[in-house]
Amino acid sequence: SPSQLLGFAAKNEGAEMLVLYSVLQRLVSLLPKTGAGTVAVAEGLAGDGRFQVLMKTLSSRAEECNGATLARVADAAVRLRTRSPELEELLQRLAEVTVTRHNCIKPQDLSILAQA
């Protein structure tokens, strides 16, 4: 459940970035794709303090990511289909890190980042 995933993420802030990315990706997969409750679920997720901590952790550790992980995190963050200051901060930070590493990112990963 999203609650269990967020609890895991909150307890494991120091985990490797791929683990935190996996939590984010799994959250995306658990969100309803369509329907009346989709917006409410996404907004509830964005309002959860553990979600905010996860976004802040990902943002503060973006420098640790290689190009593929940057692209994956950005893609998953956009697929959440919600807005929050913490999520916007994460996306901004991913963009900043991408700009500083533009020569080190594969074209495929760069295209994913551009779409996000």
Side-chain angles (χ1 to χ4, degrees):
S1 77
S3 181
Q4 290 173 323
L5 284 169
L6 291 172
F8 173 83
K11 291 178 187 173
N12 295 284
E13 288 180 54
E16 292 196 24
M17 285 299 287
L18 282 177
V19 172
L20 298 175
Y21 157 72
S22 296
V23 170
L24 183 60
Q25 184 62 38
R26 185 71 179 128
L27 280 172
V28 169
S29 72
L30 292 175
L31 291 177
K33 305 295 184 236
T34 59
T38 303
V39 173
V41 170
E43 288 176 358
L45 183 65
D48 190 313
R50 298 168 299 175
F51 174 80
Q52 295 165 4
V53 168
L54 175 60
M55 295 299 104
K56 287 179 181 181
T57 300
L58 289 167
S59 179
S60 69
R61 296 180 57 200
E63 285 285 336
E64 298 174 26
C65 297
N66 61 24
T69 305
L70 285 172
R72 290 176 182 150
V73 170
D75 183 60
V78 170
R79 290 178 190 270
L80 287 169
R81 297 183 310 266
T82 189
R83 296 279 180 219
S84 75
E86 296 80 13
L87 183 57
E88 294 297 325
E89 178 185 328
L90 170 61
L91 293 171
Q92 179 64 36
R93 184 69 186 129
L94 293 173
E96 291 168 0
V97 172
T98 300
V99 168
T100 64
R101 294 193 197 160
H102 66 279
N103 290 332
C104 303
I105 299 175
K106 294 179 183 177
Q108 178 182 359
D109 296 331
L110 194 56
S111 68
I112 292 170
L113 284 160
Q115 289 178 350

